[in-house]
């Protein structure tokens, strides 16, 4: 820590937090009980991959801010300076007009996305996905008499917290108690080969399984009627649903199906985007051409709020092809999509990614970490499958390797808790997402990670598995 805190006594901050802050994804009962009071954790400072809490305890962050966000690490003064300078110059105007950082970042971003051409700014991943959904619905009314309005989504995928995004989200525990949902969202099966037996595809593997998993999407399209389906929204690699890397044969077949039935392909890069998997965007591993790409999180590494809904020129042109129609444009606005801090931070974030060769580091360190996770399988019977791409990795824990019965969620949580309590290493897990399958440890260290950082993470997980499972 730099020692610049106004006071070493943060008890007032803790009490203010306890009394007034509603934390995300948290049960607060433990903070409020008079006989068993637990202090909320306050993170005070960050540098590189380390963060310090209110007690001055140093933590190694293996989840980039808890939700796969801080891609270039903490304490980047150049990003803070870029944001400060821009805010003094021009902080905001609604997105009906342009700004210098918005124009410059859009140009820089599109240079990394061949085939894409237009950037719509918003402030969160949920909002970016909402924009994509609204585009699909408006196109359905403009061109197809409202018929081609259905949006397909995949089991285990996650697209955000709004009601429409939950309607198109494949994590039933995330969705529980928030219905009724927006009509017109249709689920397709997941593509986790490790769980192929649950789909009746246990005799298939590799490309054969990948093609079969994609063909299951076509079956849904034919069941619903191709003339009613407007878009397919997928994560390139499923994140919170278990870190699922699609097998060979999957993505080419998905692209083929979308073209066959004139269905827009919407890729949700909110987690994978900006280098997380070793390429600028996850879909670029697979040689496909999406129509809509959404992103947030790593776009500015958490230094400012920003998200983008990026489209092809063909999609953009559908909103300006008839000037005689007074409704023939995208009648949408995101208030904070007009903030200049986001694109200013994103420009500097992208410079850091390029100048420090962090995509190359992500590939190298990701390969190293995946090897280390694989090695844990030799020591721990509960380590069922290690998977991932780049610095976006998961370790699925099982009670029985032969049957692949998932390890109980409470035991997985104990592993995560042990890493935090003993070693101050912050790792994640599938968090109340898929009933019965919240059994995957999740890792997304910043793209600046070194071998020493990864060794520390692996050593902590190794010790936690031993302590919890024996």
């Amino acid at each position: 820590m730099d020692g610049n805190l106004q006071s070493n006594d943060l008890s007032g901050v803790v009490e203010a937090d306890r009394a007034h802050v509603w934390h995300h994804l948290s049960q607060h009962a433990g903070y409020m009980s008079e006989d068993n009071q637990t202090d909320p954790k306050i993170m005070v400072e960050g540098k590189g991959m380390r963060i310090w809490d209110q007690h001055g305890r140093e933590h190694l962050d293996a989840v980039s801010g808890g939700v796969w966000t801080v891609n270039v690490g903490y304490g980047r003064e150049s990003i803070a300076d870029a944001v400060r300078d821009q805010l003094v110059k021009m902080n905001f105007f609604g997105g009906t007009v342009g700004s210098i950082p918005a124009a410059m970042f859009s140009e820089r971003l599109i240079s990394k996305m061949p085939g894409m051409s237009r950037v719509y700014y918003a402030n969160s991943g949920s909002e970016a996905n909402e924009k994509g959904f609204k585009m699909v619905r408006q196109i359905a009314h403009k061109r197809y008499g409202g018929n081609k309005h259905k949006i397909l989504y995949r089991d285990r995928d996650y697209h955000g917290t709004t009601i429409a995004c939950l309607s198109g989200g494949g994590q039933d525990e995330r969705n529980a108690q928030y219905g009724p949902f927006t009509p017109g969202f249709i689920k397709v099966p997941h593509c986790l080969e490790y769980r192929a037996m649950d789909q009746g595809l246990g005799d298939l593997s590799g490309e054969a399984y990948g093609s079969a998993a994609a063909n299951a999407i076509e079956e849904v399209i034919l069941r619903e009627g191709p003339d009613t389906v407007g878009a397919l929204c997928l994560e390139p690699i499923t994140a919170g649903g278990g870190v699922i890397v699609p097998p060979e044969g999957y993505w080419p077949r998905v692209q083929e199906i979308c073209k066959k039935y004139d269905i827009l392909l919407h890729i949700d890069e909110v987690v994978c985007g900006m280098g997380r998997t070793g390429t600028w965007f996850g879909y670029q591993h697979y040689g496909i051409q999406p129509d809509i790409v959404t992103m947030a999180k790593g776009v500015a590494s958490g230094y400012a709020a920003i998200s983008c809904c990026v489209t092809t020129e063909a999609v953009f042109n559908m909103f300006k092809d008839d000037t005689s129609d007074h409704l023939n444009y995208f009648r949408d606005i995101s208030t904070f999509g007009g903030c200049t801090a986001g694109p200013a931070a994103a420009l500097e974030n992208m410079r850091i990614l390029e100048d420090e060769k962090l995509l190359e580091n992500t590939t190298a360190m990701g390969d190293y970490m995946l090897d280390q996770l694989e090695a844990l399988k030799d020591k721990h019977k509960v380590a069922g499958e290690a998977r991932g791409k780049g610095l976006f990795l998961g370790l699925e824990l099982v009670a029985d390797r032969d049957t692949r019965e998932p390890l109980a969620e409470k035991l997985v949580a104990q592993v995560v808790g042990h890493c935090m309590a003993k070693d101050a290493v912050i790792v994640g897990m599938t968090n109340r997402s898929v009933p019965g399958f919240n059994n995957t440890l999740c890792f997304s260290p910043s793209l600046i990670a070194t071998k020493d950082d990864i060794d520390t993470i692996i050593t902590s997980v190794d010790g936690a598995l031993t302590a919890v499972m024996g």
Side-chain angles (χ1 to χ4, degrees):
M1 299 177 71
D2 64 15
N4 290 330
L5 292 174
Q6 293 182 344
S7 170
N8 290 326
D9 182 6
L10 295 181
S11 59
V13 173
V14 172
E15 290 313 309
D17 182 286
R18 191 197 314 280
H20 303 296
V21 176
W22 197 333
H23 289 273
H24 303 179
L25 297 174
S26 299
Q27 169 55 264
H28 282 63
Y31 302 152
M32 314 307 293
S33 171
E34 293 184 3
D35 57 346
N36 185 26
Q37 194 173 80
T38 300
D39 284 347
K41 186 176 285 292
I42 309 292
M43 290 306 180
V44 175
E45 186 174 338
K47 194 71 175 177
M49 282 182 54
R50 270 69 181 175
I51 55 178
W52 289 264
D53 65 17
Q54 72 263 37
H55 305 296
R57 191 184 190 203
E58 178 182 322
H59 301 71
L60 175 60
D61 179 7
V63 286
S64 293
V67 287
W68 355 68
T69 298
V70 190
N71 283 13
V72 299
Y74 297 95
R76 293 282 189 170
E77 292 187 21
S78 65
I79 301 181
D81 290 342
V83 170
R84 186 265 177 200
D85 292 346
Q86 178 57 50
L87 293 181
V88 172
K89 185 77 171 179
M90 180 70 186
N91 67 305
F92 173 85
F93 199 92
T96 54
V97 304
S99 73
I100 291 174
M104 299 308 296
F105 178 64
S106 65
E107 181 179 52
R108 190 84 171 273
L109 178 62
I110 292 302
S111 74
K112 307 299 183 187
M113 304 178 71
M116 310 305 290
S117 68
R118 295 284 172 168
V119 181
Y120 190 97
Y121 286 107
N123 75 90
S124 73
S126 297
E127 194 183 11
N129 283 324
E130 286 267 2
K131 307 310 179 188
F133 298 158
K134 288 179 69 176
M135 290 174 186
V136 172
R137 290 288 170 89
Q138 191 170 346
I139 290 169
H141 286 282
K142 282 166 45 62
R143 295 210 160 188
Y144 304 103
N147 291 327
K148 212 168 172 64
H149 69 278
K150 293 177 184 175
I151 297 169
L152 306 185
Y153 66 93
R154 187 170 56 198
D155 184 28
R156 289 183 174 240
D157 277 12
Y158 175 76
H159 302 298
T161 61
T162 64
I163 293 298
C165 288
L166 290 176
S167 303
Q171 298 181 3
D172 291 347
E173 285 194 331
R174 292 272 191 182
N175 295 6
Q177 302 175 3
Y178 294 118
F181 295 110
T182 306
F185 287 86
I186 310 297
K187 183 186 292 188
V188 301
H190 66 72
C191 60
L192 175 54
E193 184 178 338
Y194 189 68
R195 294 287 166 192
M197 65 184 76
D198 301 337
Q199 300 171 303
L201 300 174
D203 56 336
L204 300 177
S205 62
E207 189 169 346
Y209 171 76
S211 296
N215 288 338
I217 297 174
E218 184 175 31
E219 293 174 10
V220 174
I221 293 168
L222 293 174
R223 183 193 72 204
E224 296 293 325
D227 59 337
T228 71
V229 179
L232 171 64
C233 181
L234 303 174
E235 292 182 272
I237 297 171
T238 300
V243 190
I244 301 169
V245 181
E248 293 294 321
Y250 183 80
W251 275 113
R253 180 68 181 125
V254 166
Q255 181 92 82
E256 183 180 87
I257 290 167
C258 287
K259 289 182 176 180
K260 179 178 180 180
Y261 297 109
D262 188 25
I263 292 170
L264 296 175
L265 180 57
H266 172 169
I267 302 295
D268 178 349
E269 291 273 356
V270 170
V271 172
C272 293
M274 284 296 154
R276 172 56 58 192
T277 67
T279 53
W280 284 105
F281 296 95
Y283 74 86
Q284 293 170 343
H285 288 287
Y286 304 106
I288 58 173
Q289 178 57 62
D291 302 287
I292 299 169
V293 179
T294 47
M295 64 193 75
K297 296 189 185 295
V299 173
S301 288
Y303 285 83
I306 181 174
S307 69
C308 306
C309 181
V310 182
T311 74
T312 61
E313 198 71 6
V315 170
F316 175 74
N317 284 338
M318 283 190 267
F319 292 88
K320 65 180 186 67
D321 56 354
D322 182 5
T323 56
S324 66
D325 180 359
H326 73 290
L327 297 180
N328 190 37
Y329 61 96
F330 190 42
R331 301 183 315 282
D332 180 274
I333 188 169
S334 166
T335 296
F336 293 111
C339 288
T340 60
L347 274 166
E348 181 60 14
N349 185 70
M350 184 174 280
R351 183 200 66 76
I352 291 169
L353 288 166
E354 289 186 300
D355 289 359
E356 297 184 12
K357 301 187 184 309
L358 293 186
L359 271 65
E360 293 88 339
N361 187 66
T362 297
T363 298
M365 293 301 98
D367 290 345
Y368 177 74
M369 187 167 183
L370 187 57
D371 286 344
Q372 303 311 304
L373 289 171
E374 284 284 354
L376 290 179
K377 292 166 59 177
D378 295 333
K379 297 181 66 176
H380 302 281
K381 292 182 179 180
V382 295
E385 183 182 54
R387 52 182 181 253
K389 194 176 285 290
L391 287 171
F392 182 30
L393 300 157
L395 182 66
E396 181 160 353
L397 303 183
V398 294
D400 185 294
R401 274 193 183 170
D402 293 331
T403 65
R404 300 184 180 180
E405 176 190 349
L407 189 66
E409 181 177 346
K410 65 179 182 180
L411 294 176
V412 184
Q414 287 177 27
V415 173
V416 173
H418 188 277
C419 290
M420 171 71 89
K422 183 177 185 299
D423 305 313
V425 171
I426 307 173
V427 302
M429 62 176 284
T430 42
N431 184 4
R432 304 289 162 80
S433 301
V434 183
F437 291 95
N438 295 311
N439 63 314
T440 301
L441 297 177
C442 301
F443 308 93
S444 55
S446 294
L447 311 189
I448 62 173
T450 66
K451 283 189 175 181
D452 285 346
D453 295 324
I454 292 167
D455 288 344
T456 300
I457 296 165
I458 295 297
T459 298
S460 179
V461 173
D462 185 10
L465 290 173
T466 299
V468 172
M469 302 305 303

